[in-house]
Amino acid sequence: MKPVLTRSGVVAVVSLLALLTGQAVAKPRQAPPPPPPAPVAPPPPPPTTLSNAVTMAAAAYEGYVHTAAAMTPNFTDPASVQTSMQASAAYEPKQLSRGMVAYAAVLALQDPAFVAGVKQYSKDPNQRADIAARIYSDPRYASAMPGADGAAGLIISRLASDGEAIHKAGAAIKQSAYDIQHQKWSTTMVQDRDGRLATAKQLSSAVMSPSADESARLMQAAVSGQGMSVTPSAAHGPYTDTVNRGLALAALAVLGSAGDDHIAEVNSLMDEQNGPFCLSMSKLNLYQCLAVSRPQYEDVFCMGQHGLMDTGRCVQKVVGAAPAEVLEITRMEQARAEADAKKAAEKAKHAAAHGKKKKKK
């Protein structure tokens, strides 16, 4: 008799076969995949970096300001007049102008809001490089950065004060040119007039040697944002070229792009044109005054007016803080100088053309 599968038996057989089949094809358990690597943090932004050339230039400017502002009209003999004359003339216009820009940069770095405003652009390397390139291309770009108005205010306030201190010292010396005329020595003729004029010119072309200690102090103030006595004073643009270049150098320092590895660009930023022009005019006026001066008291006048007062006004002019009438005179002087240069160029061109005609004949 054949075995008969009941319905329940069929189900049991099918279930058993399914179980055996599943065990046969079951895959072994695999280990879980490793966790993804931890995200790599972006490199930290660079520290504030400033070339030693900047702080040396700033120290030269600061040194002259301290010397000039401290001068007094306590003259007792011709020797004391000539000693002070030499001290007042002891700056080279281009170097002093570069020092103003450099000093402006150190001042701007004392403003925490400006430093923080620039630092937000330093986190991403690509953005940092782009901002630095824009500033090098046009220094005015830095004046639009967050906190720039406060930093500009520090620059304008301090350099205006420096210029006023030099001008005030000069005014006191100029007044003494009248006050000392009752002293017999003041009416004696200046000895070796040509020699003392040559000395003034030599001192005006000699490069100042700033103190290494003062440069180090300014460097510490720049990178730390502390150490200089400043009074907050907000300003509003547009700013002069000296102020813009000071802001630009400070911004680049925060971006890590104003160190010795960028010395060519840094030097170019410090080369402002208006300062050297104004200071050179002051020197020219001093030379002309000394060329016609004869008694000692006239040398005192030349020193006070052109050696110091004119120089002080130039310091104020480069930050736009000189009296309006002085700024107008400067524009007139510059226009006249440009017109003279144009005439000279035309004269030279005419002479060259005339020379060619003669050769043809």
Side-chain angles (χ1 to χ4, degrees), residues 85-164:
M85 175 74 74
Q86 292 173 17
S88 69
Y91 72 82
E92 193 277 322
K94 187 173 181 179
Q95 184 187 17
L96 193 66
S97 179
R98 286 167 58 87
M100 293 181 206
V101 175
Y103 197 68
V106 179
L107 288 169
L109 289 168
Q110 305 303 294
D111 189 310
F114 178 64
V115 173
V118 177
K119 197 175 285 291
Q120 65 181 321
Y121 300 107
S122 69
K123 297 174 183 177
D124 179 77
N126 293 327
Q127 186 181 41
R128 186 168 66 240
D130 178 64
I131 295 294
R134 289 173 184 270
I135 294 174
Y136 277 127
S137 176
D138 184 357
R140 295 173 299 177
Y141 190 83
S143 68
M145 304 192 84
D149 286 347
L154 295 181
I155 295 170
I156 295 170
S157 176
R158 174 58 68 84
L159 266 68
S161 177
D162 288 348
E164 185 59 32

Side-chain angles (χ1 to χ4, degrees), residues 33-249:
V40 179
T48 298
T49 307
L50 198 60
S51 170
N52 187 58
V54 177
T55 54
M56 288 294 282
Y61 164 77
E62 188 180 58
Y64 178 78
V65 170
H66 288 169
T67 296
M71 292 180 65
T72 61
N74 299 326
F75 305 117
T76 57
D77 53 35
S80 62
V81 171
Q82 295 309 313
T83 297
S84 293
M85 175 74 74
Q86 292 173 17
S88 69
Y91 72 82
E92 193 277 322
K94 187 173 181 179
Q95 184 187 17
L96 193 66
S97 179
R98 286 167 58 87
M100 293 181 206
V101 175
Y103 197 68
V106 179
L107 288 169
L109 289 168
Q110 305 303 294
D111 189 310
F114 178 64
V115 173
V118 177
K119 197 175 285 291
Q120 65 181 321
Y121 300 107
S122 69
K123 297 174 183 177
D124 179 77
N126 293 327
Q127 186 181 41
R128 186 168 66 240
D130 178 64
I131 295 294
R134 289 173 184 270
I135 294 174
Y136 277 127
S137 176
D138 184 357
R140 295 173 299 177
Y141 190 83
S143 68
M145 304 192 84
D149 286 347
L154 295 181
I155 295 170
I156 295 170
S157 176
R158 174 58 68 84
L159 266 68
S161 177
D162 288 348
E164 185 59 32
I166 297 172
H167 185 273
K168 184 177 179 181
I173 288 175
K174 177 182 175 181
Q175 178 58 43
S176 75
Y178 303 99
D179 298 338
I180 64 174
Q181 291 183 30
H182 67 278
Q183 300 178 35
K184 188 174 181 180
W185 66 266
S186 72
T187 60
T188 61
M189 296 298 105
V190 174
Q191 299 298 309
D192 189 17
R193 293 174 56 246
D194 292 342
R196 67 96 160 77
L197 176 56
T199 297
K201 290 182 177 180
Q202 186 275 324
L203 289 169
S204 299
S205 61
V207 175
M208 294 178 281
S209 299
S211 162
D213 290 342
E214 285 303 302
S215 176
R217 180 183 64 80
L218 290 169
M219 179 66 79
Q220 179 60 29
V223 299
S224 68
Q226 302 175 19
M228 297 186 73
S229 177
V230 294
T231 303
S233 176
H236 301 285
Y239 300 117
T240 64
D241 201 25
T242 293
V243 176
N244 282 327
R245 287 170 180 268
L247 291 172
L249 270 177

Side-chain angles (χ1 to χ4, degrees), residues 242-266:
T242 293
V243 176
N244 282 327
R245 287 170 180 268
L247 291 172
L249 270 177
L252 289 165
V254 176
L255 296 172
S257 298
D260 289 330
D261 54 335
H262 292 84
I263 188 62
E265 296 92 336
V266 166

Side-chain angles (χ1 to χ4, degrees), residues 85 91 197 201 277-293 298 301-303 305-311 314 317 329 333 336:
M85 175 74 74
Y91 72 82
L197 176 56
K201 290 182 177 180
F277 175 82
C278 183
L279 293 168
S280 294
M281 290 296 296
S282 172
K283 291 288 189 182
L284 180 60
N285 289 334
L286 175 64
Y287 303 154
Q288 291 175 341
C289 188
L290 292 177
V292 298
S293 171
E298 288 185 353
F301 175 90
C302 296
M303 181 200 328
Q305 177 63 59
H306 305 300
L308 294 172
M309 293 176 67
D310 289 357
T311 299
C314 286
K317 288 174 191 175
I329 290 172
E333 290 172 345
R336 186 163 56 246

